[in-house]
Amino acid sequence: MITTNPFDDDKLREECGIFGVSGAETASAMVALGLHALQHRGQEAAGITSWDGHDFHTHRAMGHVAGNFDRDEVIRALPGDTACGHVRYSTTGETSLRNVQPLYAELNSGGFAIAHNGNISNAMKVRRELIRRGSIFQSTSDTEVIIHLVATSNYRTLLDKFIDALKQIEGAYSLIVMTPEGMIACRDPLGIRPLVMGKLGDSIIFASETVALDVVGADYVRSIEPGELVIVTNDGELRSLRPFGEVHPRPCIFEHVYFSRPDSIIDNSSVYSVRKAIGAQLAIENPVDADYVIPVPDSGVPAAIGYAQQSGIPFELGIIRSHYIGRTFIQPGDKVRHLGVKLKHNANRALIQGKRIVLIDDSIVRGTTSLKIVQMMREAGAAEVHMRIASPPTKHSCFYGVDTPERTKLLAHKLDIGGMQDFIHADSLAFISIDGLYKALGEAKRADIRPQYCDACFTGDYPTKLTDQDEAVVENQFELLAERVS
């Protein structure tokens, strides 16, 4: 079984989307709608937990939101005016129902449900210590360490226990937590992963992206600030805490490049407008003589529009996408497998034949996707195929909740740009510079001492400790040494 989409095989994948609502008569139905809008952030599994004032109710399932949460009997089994939900693409823990969120546990203070977007970079170390102290884990998800840290904290109130737990973890997290006392939404001190707040009547809503607020008809209020906890009590009282002190924020720059939907607002910036600005800056830095600017659908479209407007080269749809093909299907042989690539995307041969084209894509990861695209354009008769990428070369792995290949499998780690151009068989290849990317985001350039974003996938400048990763490297070195000695 393979994917029918040749352009999805080689993309960085965001790990999760979260959505929560407090004080709505049909809370679980609203969460299901919100998760539909966040489906692009995680397509392996989905879950919803509700609170009816007495009991918590949870339904979790593998697969998409549609098919699992579009039945009346499922929503009726999730009563209450408070609910939160999660869509998942795993970056830690295996793909199984026990890792599907929200995770739920009965603590001394009552029920505790948590939905997490991000990745805890010291989760394995914390987990080992908790197990040594007697904790019994029910999943392999990094999120579960938060539950155990809350359960074993010596602080008195649940809120203080939760803050105590957060101060023991590293990495990236945006969280929605439900307790009998109310809902808590929070963002890690660097604000690596996004989280926004909205309002619909008297209901307070939290979501990974503003597009989820749009779907349910809620008004966007503001982003949750890095390091902020927003508490909504059951009677609707709203308050904000900042328990971590002053830290220079480093939100993920790739949210603007690829992860977020273009109709969202991330940290008060329109994703669509930023991507057009990236395309325009790409045209300034890397011009080329060509007949058409062609986006790689769908994520390359806004940047391609910006490139076309800046360069004066006409924008055209040279790759046509079918929206009626399922994600996977059985392939009986290599020949049919090769033909199946064209079921979802096909070259617009009549437009392309004999033309010099500029292909705009958001990134190159392993390079296999770009190779397929260039080959498709060649077979359609393109005279020249130039590729322009709306991000700098991806040379480093992400440890903050993005499913990135090992560094050795990243094409930009193995080859320089000339080597990458030869690998994908393009007539030319160019990337936006890191300073150009910052300029498109409204900054003069990347600050050397205090960068404004987390751009570690491009620069290797990780803004937090990577405890688990560092320990794994040391363990591998010891294993290699032991093998040599033996």
Side-chain angles (χ1 to χ4, degrees):
M1 188 168 289
I2 69 163
T3 168
T4 61
N5 183 353
F7 308 138
D8 282 349
D9 292 343
D10 190 27
K11 293 290 187 183
L12 299 180
R13 297 182 188 272
E14 176 62 282
E15 75 303 332
C16 301
I18 57 177
F19 187 97
V21 58
S22 175
E25 187 174 341
T26 55
S28 59
M30 191 178 295
V31 171
L33 289 172
L35 294 182
H36 270 287
L38 299 173
Q39 187 74 84
H40 60 288
R41 298 184 74 90
Q43 300 181 36
E44 284 186 354
I48 296 176
T49 297
S50 69
W51 162 250
D52 65 7
H54 300 281
D55 298 301
F56 287 88
H57 310 268
T58 296
H59 182 76
R60 301 182 297 165
M62 305 304 296
H64 289 188
V65 179
N68 286 312
F69 291 96
D70 53 2
R71 302 191 306 276
D72 287 342
E73 62 269 24
V74 173
I75 298 302
R76 284 199 300 269
L78 297 167
D81 66 359
T82 301
C84 71
H86 187 273
V87 288
R88 180 175 192 261
Y89 183 90
S90 61
T91 58
T92 61
E94 80 265 15
T95 301
S96 65
L97 191 60
R98 66 175 178 160
N99 287 330
V100 179
Q101 298 185 29
L103 297 182
Y104 177 78
E106 287 285 346
L107 306 184
N108 185 51
S109 56
F112 185 93
I114 183 169
H116 171 208
N117 174 22
N119 192 61
I120 299 170
S121 57
N122 66 334
M124 291 306 299
K125 181 178 181 180
V126 174
R127 182 188 180 100
R128 287 194 296 267
E129 175 61 22
L130 286 164
I131 291 173
R132 189 188 66 79
R133 287 158 46 190
S135 291
I136 301 173
F137 280 75
Q138 301 298 313
S139 77
T140 58
S141 169
D142 61 330
T143 309
E144 193 179 354
V145 302
I146 299 175
I147 296 175
H148 288 273
L149 288 172
V150 171
T152 58
S153 173
N154 292 323
Y155 282 83
R156 187 178 63 84
T157 69
L158 179 61
L159 180 59
D160 287 337
K161 290 174 182 286
F162 181 57
I163 293 171
D164 179 42
L166 296 183
K167 289 183 176 181
Q168 297 178 65
I169 61 175
E170 303 165 0
Y173 55 85
S174 285
L175 303 171
I176 297 175
V177 170
M178 289 169 50
T179 76
E181 299 174 10
M183 178 173 283
I184 305 170
C186 69
R187 200 172 172 196
D188 68 77
L190 296 174
I192 297 174
R193 301 262 69 88
L195 190 62
V196 299
M197 180 169 64
K199 192 168 185 180
L200 180 62
D202 294 329
S203 303
I204 300 297
I205 300 172
F206 303 102
S208 293
E209 296 182 35
T210 59
V211 66
L213 303 178
D214 298 337
V215 166
V216 300
D219 294 324
Y220 168 57
V221 176
R222 63 178 178 88
S223 290
I224 305 303
E225 296 296 324
E228 181 185 18
L229 276 71
V230 176
I231 300 103
V232 187
T233 63
N234 291 328
D235 59 7
E237 180 188 353
L238 190 71
R239 59 194 177 104
S240 170
L241 297 176
R242 298 175 186 271
F244 301 108
E246 285 285 332
V247 180
H248 180 64
R250 294 278 299 275
C252 173
I253 202 166
F254 222 95
E255 290 284 351
H256 297 278
V257 174
Y258 173 67
F259 294 139
S260 297
R261 268 180 44 166
D263 46 343
S264 283
I265 296 170
I266 298 294
D267 290 325
N268 301 315
S269 294
S270 161
V271 174
Y272 178 77
S273 297
V274 167
R275 288 180 188 167
K276 280 182 64 180
I278 291 172
Q281 183 64 28
L282 183 61
I284 293 170
E285 292 183 358
N286 300 291
V288 63
D289 289 330
D291 299 302
Y292 297 130
V293 173
I294 292 173
V296 176
D298 286 321
S299 57
V301 172
I305 293 172
Y307 192 101
Q309 290 176 348
Q310 178 65 41
S311 66
I313 302 172
F315 171 95
E316 293 287 355
L317 297 179
I319 303 171
I320 306 302
R321 177 184 176 187
S322 169
H323 294 268
Y324 304 101
I325 301 298
R327 184 169 176 79
T328 59
F329 70 103
I330 300 298
Q331 296 285 358
D334 288 341
K335 184 176 180 180
V336 176
R337 183 180 294 113
H338 175 71
L339 295 175
V341 162
K342 297 184 178 180
L343 280 176
K344 197 156 191 176
H345 291 84
N346 192 37
N348 188 353
R349 184 178 296 270
L351 174 79
I352 290 169
Q353 194 162 18
K355 301 298 184 182
R356 302 166 300 165
I357 62 171
V358 186
L359 289 169
I360 308 295
D361 204 357
D362 56 81
S363 60
I364 291 181
V365 183
R366 294 181 181 89
T368 54
T369 292
S370 302
L371 178 61
K372 292 176 185 178
I373 298 167
V374 172
Q375 180 182 358
M376 182 184 290
M377 298 296 98
R378 299 280 192 206
E379 291 174 353
E384 296 177 11
V385 182
H386 304 273
M387 198 136 200
R388 297 293 180 266
I389 307 300
S391 63
T394 303
K395 297 181 178 180
H396 305 271
S397 298
C398 176
F399 302 101
Y400 299 122
V402 177
D403 185 35
T404 313
E406 294 178 10
R407 188 180 178 192
T408 56
K409 295 180 180 179
L410 296 170
L411 192 65
H413 172 72
K414 297 185 291 185
L415 300 172
D416 61 15
I417 293 178
M420 296 174 74
Q421 178 182 321
D422 292 341
F423 179 86
I424 67 173
H425 299 157
D427 290 289
S428 72
L429 170 67
F431 297 77
I432 193 171
S433 67
I434 189 67
D435 283 348
L437 181 57
Y438 271 81
K439 186 174 181 180
L441 282 155
E443 307 289 346
K445 65 176 184 177
R446 184 185 193 271
D448 293 332
I449 298 175
R450 298 179 65 187
Q452 301 91 324
Y453 292 91
C454 176
D455 52 24
C457 53
F458 308 133
T459 65
D461 179 9
Y462 295 97
T464 75
K465 294 179 181 178
L466 300 175
T467 299
D468 291 342
Q469 176 66 17
D470 292 341
E471 289 187 353
V473 170
V474 172
E475 288 175 5
N476 287 339
Q477 289 173 341
F478 275 120
E479 289 175 2
L480 289 172
L481 181 60
E483 289 177 4
R484 290 169 185 165
V485 171
S486 62

